[in-house]
Amino acid sequence: MSTLSQIILALTFCALLFSTQLGAQSISGRVVDPTGEAIPFANIALYSADSTLQGGSTSDANGKFSIESKPGRYYLEISFLSYQTKLTELLSVDRAPHELNPIVLNENSQMLDEVVIEAKRSQMEFKLDKRVFNVGQDLSNAGSNASEVLSNVPSVDVDIEGNVSLRG
């Protein structure tokens, strides 16, 4: 091997060594529930110490994640539907990859006193042989007599004397 090729090889090796030392480092870990089961597709956000969003990722099917970052001080915010959001303590990321202990997310459950399901009828229903108007739902009918209620129904006419006609 010639001296020139040895120098080029040495410079290439040094450039690769320094680029990995100055470049991004990984923060990795695993998201689990209290029983140790993996939580797939949890959201992981990387924030700098001044609360600026720097990046993020989602956990894979095994709950594992990895985020690339530059050296500095960071914290993670881990969230997933029906689990409590968790913030990690500040992490000092330097030139070495940072492997976190498993991050446990606790369930976010609330007991409900009761569940009330209410249904309201439509003001107009179409049946096989007729059209039904539910006049009790219309607030303008409150305190009205029968002829006033009928005058609010479409296609029903009530004249001044109180005679009712359907479609003219």
Side-chain angles (χ1 to χ4, degrees), residues 145-148 150-151 155-168:
N145 60 28
S147 65
E148 291 171 344
L150 284 174
S151 66
S155 72
V156 174
D157 291 326
V158 180
D159 64 12
I160 296 174
E161 297 174 4
N163 297 322
V164 177
S165 64
L166 185 61
R167 295 185 194 154

Side-chain angles (χ1 to χ4, degrees), residues 61-106:
N62 298 320
K64 295 181 181 180
F65 68 91
S66 181
I67 302 174
E68 298 295 320
S69 69
K70 295 180 180 177
R73 293 175 50 86
Y74 302 98
Y75 68 91
L76 297 174
E77 180 183 71
I78 301 96
S79 61
F80 190 68
L81 187 65
S82 77
Y83 286 88
Q84 295 175 355
T85 300
K86 183 164 190 166
L87 299 174
T88 64
E89 295 184 13
L90 278 175
L91 310 168
S92 293
V93 177
D94 51 12
R95 295 185 174 124
H98 206 84
E99 178 71 30
L100 300 173
N101 292 330
I103 299 168
V104 179
L105 293 184
N106 294 317

Side-chain angles (χ1 to χ4, degrees), residues 113-166:
D113 291 335
E114 63 182 81
V115 175
V116 178
I117 300 173
E118 293 180 6
K120 292 185 180 179
R121 285 187 169 191
S122 174
Q123 272 190 312
M124 183 173 59
E125 297 176 20
F126 289 104
K127 303 240 176 165
L128 187 59
D129 59 339
K130 59 187 167 187
R131 198 180 330 176
V132 177
F133 291 95
N134 298 313
V135 295
Q137 299 291 329
D138 192 359
L139 293 177
S140 66
N141 292 332
S144 300
N145 60 28
S147 65
E148 291 171 344
V149 169
L150 284 174
S151 66
N152 289 334
V153 174
S155 72
V156 174
D157 291 326
V158 180
D159 64 12
I160 296 174
E161 297 174 4
N163 297 322
V164 177
S165 64
L166 185 61

Side-chain angles (χ1 to χ4, degrees), residues 6-107:
Q6 288 177 345
I7 292 173
I8 291 173
L9 183 62
L11 288 174
T12 305
F13 178 73
C14 288
L16 286 173
L17 181 65
F18 287 122
S19 69
T20 58
Q21 294 293 326
L22 297 176
Q25 300 301 321
S26 68
I27 300 172
S28 58
R30 188 166 184 251
V31 183
V32 296
D33 65 9
T35 64
E37 291 290 321
I39 299 178
F41 313 113
N43 296 314
I44 298 96
L46 178 69
Y47 291 95
S48 62
D50 65 352
S51 299
T52 304
L53 181 64
Q54 298 295 318
S57 181
T58 57
S59 60
D60 64 11
N62 298 320
K64 295 181 181 180
F65 68 91
S66 181
I67 302 174
E68 298 295 320
S69 69
K70 295 180 180 177
R73 293 175 50 86
Y74 302 98
Y75 68 91
L76 297 174
E77 180 183 71
I78 301 96
S79 61
F80 190 68
L81 187 65
S82 77
Y83 286 88
Q84 295 175 355
T85 300
K86 183 164 190 166
L87 299 174
T88 64
E89 295 184 13
L90 278 175
L91 310 168
S92 293
V93 177
D94 51 12
R95 295 185 174 124
H98 206 84
E99 178 71 30
L100 300 173
N101 292 330
I103 299 168
V104 179
L105 293 184
N106 294 317
E107 292 183 10

